[in-house]
Amino acid sequence: IMDKKEALELVESFDDNEIKKIPKDLWKDRDFVGLASVINGSVLQFADQSLRNDGSLVAHIATQNGSALRYAGETLRKDRDFAIKCVTLDGLLLRELDTKFKKDKEVIVEAIAQTSAAWWDVDESVREDLKNDPDISGLLPDHFFNDN
């Protein structure tokens, strides 16, 4: 029987063949999944589906390791409230969210309010229109809109 410490050592190897040796019951353990995913965001893919759709757990993990969002459960990846929660914690998480949220004004405003750098992850198809939106332009420095 593998304990959490041994399993975390496998997670730290970043070797999927080693990580796959971790017993299934540990992938149902919320604390283990949280720790493991902060170390190596890609291991969230091995977690039990219920944990991959646990918004508070995945949002916490994502603030430590944004790449983990790619492995969040499908339900969570489509959830607008979850998207807003993520960008409120870290605006740069917009980069890891579903494309539809990169076009969603409310999500974008929350992300940019957190960090103006999130602007560069806004979908280009809406960027031009949003430049003139007072909710957005008021959050960004003027040099973001200069073409040179």
Side-chain angles (χ1 to χ4, degrees):
I1 295 176
M2 186 180 298
D3 66 20
K4 287 182 188 180
K5 186 175 183 292
E6 291 173 285
L8 288 172
E9 287 171 7
L10 294 181
V11 167
E12 289 171 342
S13 75
F14 286 82
D15 178 341
D16 281 356
N17 291 324
E18 291 297 310
I19 292 166
K20 287 175 183 171
K21 295 176 183 174
I22 297 172
K24 284 201 185 317
D25 63 311
L26 281 179
W27 294 117
K28 294 178 181 180
D29 180 309
R30 195 172 198 276
D31 293 335
F32 173 76
V33 169
L35 282 169
S37 299
V38 167
I39 294 167
N40 176 350
S42 71
V43 301
L44 187 58
Q45 68 186 303
F46 300 110
D48 187 75
Q49 196 63 35
S50 64
L51 295 178
R52 292 176 62 204
N53 282 307
D54 180 326
S56 59
L57 175 66
V58 176
H60 168 74
I61 292 166
T63 63
Q64 307 294 314
N65 190 332
S67 66
L69 274 182
R70 295 178 198 144
Y71 305 100
E74 259 329 283
T75 308
L76 215 48
R77 290 187 56 76
K78 292 177 175 11
D79 185 294
R80 189 166 182 268
D81 291 336
F82 174 72
I84 291 170
K85 180 177 185 166
C86 285
V87 298
T88 302
L89 293 169
D90 180 353
L92 294 177
L93 290 176
L94 182 61
R95 176 176 304 143
E96 304 295 344
L97 292 172
D98 189 278
T99 306
K100 72 178 181 180
F101 298 122
K102 296 174 187 178
K103 299 176 184 180
D104 183 313
K105 181 183 164 187
E106 188 181 350
V107 175
I108 292 166
V109 167
E110 291 296 335
I112 292 171
Q114 216 281 324
T115 175
S116 57
W119 173 252
W120 306 114
D121 295 311
V122 172
D123 193 277
E124 287 186 28
S125 68
V126 298
R127 214 183 277 166
E128 199 58 42
D129 289 337
L130 291 177
K131 273 185 184 181
N132 302 317
D133 188 304
D135 293 335
I136 304 272
S137 60
L139 294 170
L140 294 171
D142 291 341
H143 72 265
F144 273 62
F145 302 115
N146 296 342
D147 290 330
N148 49 18

